[in-house]
Amino acid sequence: MEDKKIIFSGVQPSGTLTFGNYLGAIKNWVELQKDYRCIYAMMDLHTITVRQTPADIRRRTLEVLALYIACGIDPEENILFIQSHNPAHAELSWVLGCYTYMGELQRMTQFKDKSSRHAENINAGLFTYPVLMAADILLYQADYVPVGKDQMQHIEICRDIAQRFNAIYGDVFKIPEGMLPKAGANIKSLQDPTKKMSKSDSNPKAYISMTDHPDVIVKKIKSAVTDSEGIIEYREDDETKAGINNLITIMSAVTKRNTDDIVADYSGKGYGDFKNDVAEAVVENIRPIQEEYDKLIADKAYLMNVCSKGADAAKRISQRTLKKVYKKVGFMVE
């Protein structure tokens, strides 16, 4: 176990996990646990850059944990914990913030995007979000961080901060690499297929929640935006086909068949038939996960025990890094 490469990643409990989160991230994490030492967190510290209802954060944190496990992430083989249960994340974030330049943070795409969407609450936490994310990763000396393409900018600034710190103080941090998922990485909104499927979308018809009732999933897929052409073809660079491309991508991910074979199967058929089959495939893919999730979410004592054990393990690893950092910058360390 100790000689395995380390992976760190996590999901914010800021909304219900979507089928896009599952196909683009969590499904791949399940495969990674065979070959890597994996550390996965419920990233609750990150959620409050946008105003949240406190009770919702607490509820969703346990829901995310239950979904991690229901999807196949083994809490006995991996470290699963709640980010705020390990104070080292906030502590290292302060130190790293003193080695991060304002210009770097101003260039971050996510800051610009969220600032435009939450103009009434452009707070310092939103601005320094990438520093906390760097602390999350560097605390555990992670080798790889599974992310989507939209998060690679955060990996780049994390590497820049780590390299800057190492240049001053020596070999303190391992320089992590982003790990893009092999498949299902870019599931789009069902209502605006030019954007990714997001749990924070204001339109619930735009995403499939991992806890949606099967009838709701079917209804959402049947109402998915396509085009007036009516031809089932996969044309990657054609934005007019973004809707049908997205449904083909989903079908490919859940059936493990390539897009060419799927297109060939539906030659001459209409979007209605295809949507019905996509909906059925998604429902059957999610069904066993939902059944396991229902058992887990009903056992809060078990979930809290997983959190507690995970936090203890996370603290043991991260304290080694934090003490080293504190010594390097000149703090008195007990």
Side-chain angles (χ1 to χ4, degrees), residues 254-268:
V254 297
T255 62
K256 298 181 179 177
R257 301 174 65 228
N258 67 55
T259 56
D260 289 343
D261 288 345
I262 292 168
V263 169
D265 282 351
Y266 288 89
S267 176

Side-chain angles (χ1 to χ4, degrees), residues 245-257:
N245 287 350
N246 190 39
L247 293 178
I248 293 170
T249 298
I250 292 171
M251 190 67 154
S252 175
V254 297
T255 62
K256 298 181 179 177
R257 301 174 65 228

Side-chain angles (χ1 to χ4, degrees), residues 86-93 135 139 318-319 322:
N86 184 4
H89 288 254
E91 293 173 289
L92 182 59
S93 181
L139 268 176
S318 60
Q319 278 301 313
L322 190 64

Side-chain angles (χ1 to χ4, degrees), residues 58-269:
R58 287 188 283 270
R59 173 178 55 80
R60 287 169 178 161
T61 297
L62 287 184
E63 288 175 353
V64 170
L65 175 61
L67 279 168
Y68 279 0
I69 300 170
C71 289
I73 297 173
D74 186 348
E76 298 299 321
E77 296 296 326
N78 306 280
I79 296 174
L80 302 177
F81 74 103
I82 299 171
Q83 184 189 24
S84 63
H85 286 188
N86 184 4
H89 288 254
E91 293 173 289
L92 182 59
S93 181
W94 168 253
V95 176
L96 296 183
C98 297
Y99 295 83
T100 307
Y101 300 134
M102 297 281 284
E104 291 175 307
L105 296 175
Q106 287 169 339
R107 289 193 293 270
M108 299 302 290
T109 303
Q110 189 175 70
F111 173 69
K112 295 175 184 176
D113 176 53
K114 285 198 173 181
S115 294
S116 66
R117 289 190 288 117
H118 302 278
E120 77 293 346
N121 182 30
I122 305 174
N123 57 72
L126 190 62
F127 187 65
T128 59
Y129 178 108
V131 182
L132 177 56
M133 186 169 172
D136 299 332
I137 297 163
L138 299 176
L139 268 176
Y140 301 97
Q141 304 292 348
D143 295 280
Y144 301 106
V145 185
V147 290
K149 286 182 180 178
D150 60 324
Q151 288 288 319
M152 284 302 290
Q153 192 182 31
H154 285 124
I155 303 303
E156 289 165 10
I157 194 171
C158 173
R159 287 169 57 87
D160 290 343
I161 295 167
Q163 288 166 343
R164 183 175 302 131
F165 195 93
N166 286 356
I168 299 169
Y169 298 109
D171 189 18
V172 179
F173 295 121
K174 187 174 289 183
I175 308 301
E177 294 181 28
M179 177 186 281
L180 292 171
K182 295 176 183 175
N186 200 15
I187 303 302
K188 302 292 188 178
S189 161
L190 297 177
Q191 293 300 308
D192 182 358
T194 62
K195 301 190 306 186
K196 76 171 186 175
M197 183 179 287
S198 171
K199 62 183 183 292
S200 60
D201 199 306
S202 59
N203 183 359
K205 291 183 179 180
Y207 60 84
I208 298 166
S209 166
M210 290 298 291
T211 55
D212 274 343
H213 187 277
D215 291 346
V216 173
I217 294 172
V218 170
K219 193 174 292 186
K220 286 182 178 181
I221 291 176
K222 283 186 176 181
S223 66
V225 169
T226 48
D227 57 76
S228 59
E229 193 174 286
I231 300 172
I232 300 172
E233 287 182 346
Y234 187 86
R235 300 205 296 261
E236 188 173 359
D237 298 323
D238 186 348
E239 197 167 284
T240 65
K241 301 296 287 185
I244 197 66
N245 287 350
N246 190 39
L247 293 178
I248 293 170
T249 298
I250 292 171
M251 190 67 154
S252 175
V254 297
T255 62
K256 298 181 179 177
R257 301 174 65 228
N258 67 55
T259 56
D260 289 343
D261 288 345
I262 292 168
V263 169
D265 282 351
Y266 288 89
S267 176
K269 294 184 180 179

